[in-house]
Amino acid sequence: LWSDQTDETLAGHPDPPQEKMVDVFHENPRNFIKECARVNSILPMVSLLSNDEVARDVKAQLGIDLPSDTRIHCSLMDANHDPNVFTAPAEFNPRRSAAELGKIMTWNGAEEDIEQKDEALRPPRYCPGHNLSLEVMEFVVSRFAPVI
């Protein structure tokens, strides 16, 4: 945020102008924070024990027979850097579309599911502090970011 990093590190700009990341933060703070979390997740992996529902989903999606009570380890870092999901996944680009940022995987599901307005559509382990934590991060960064 406080570096002299240029848009050359951002995707989708053929002739990028020089600008500080603080300018990009102020364009859309929430997307900037989400992109930071996508690129460098504080929780790189989740594990679960499969049940009949998980086994059916794996069979339907991947065609693999998975016994119930199988330990599954999922890399969130790999999911959030998947070139089939994210354009130029290795690049930091807070200007990604809302649809693309909605594909970010967290410990309790895809960001687009977590942000559902209808609580019944949210993951069962929805974090009630999700939105508050984004607002706190935005406030803190805005408070201490250099004046532009």
Side-chain angles (χ1 to χ4, degrees):
L1 182 63
W2 290 274
S3 75
D4 286 330
Q5 190 174 8
T6 68
D7 261 353
E8 291 172 329
T9 60
L10 302 177
H13 295 280
D15 297 311
Q18 293 262 333
E19 67 182 338
K20 293 185 182 287
M21 287 282 108
V22 71
D23 297 333
V24 178
F25 170 79
H26 286 295
E27 284 177 19
N28 190 326
R30 194 174 183 99
N31 283 3
F32 192 98
I33 293 164
K34 287 181 181 184
E35 180 67 354
C36 287
R38 184 195 69 80
V39 169
N40 194 15
S41 175
I42 60 167
L43 185 65
M45 172 176 265
V46 294
S47 299
L48 63 113
L49 193 60
S50 71
N51 57 25
D52 290 337
E53 181 182 355
V54 170
R56 278 192 304 275
D57 286 349
V58 168
K59 179 70 173 176
Q61 295 291 323
L62 303 173
I64 297 170
D65 289 316
L66 182 72
S68 291
D69 298 326
T70 299
R71 287 196 186 280
I72 302 172
H73 304 286
C74 307
S75 171
L76 298 178
M77 291 297 289
D78 288 346
N80 288 331
H81 289 83
D82 185 344
N84 297 314
V85 177
F86 298 97
T87 306
E91 295 182 39
F92 179 76
N93 180 10
R95 292 180 176 125
R96 292 181 190 278
S97 69
E100 196 169 8
L101 287 173
K103 302 297 182 198
I104 294 171
M105 293 302 296
T106 69
W107 68 272
N108 62 346
E111 186 68 15
E112 63 191 356
D113 295 334
I114 294 165
E115 295 222 330
Q116 287 285 337
K117 300 294 182 210
D118 182 352
E119 291 184 20
L121 298 175
R122 291 179 184 163
R125 293 185 59 183
Y126 172 77
C127 176
H130 174 270
N131 293 334
L132 178 61
S133 65
L134 287 169
E135 290 168 11
V136 168
M137 285 185 269
E138 181 179 345
F139 172 78
V140 170
V141 173
S142 295
R143 170 68 176 84
F144 293 103
V147 177
I148 53 173

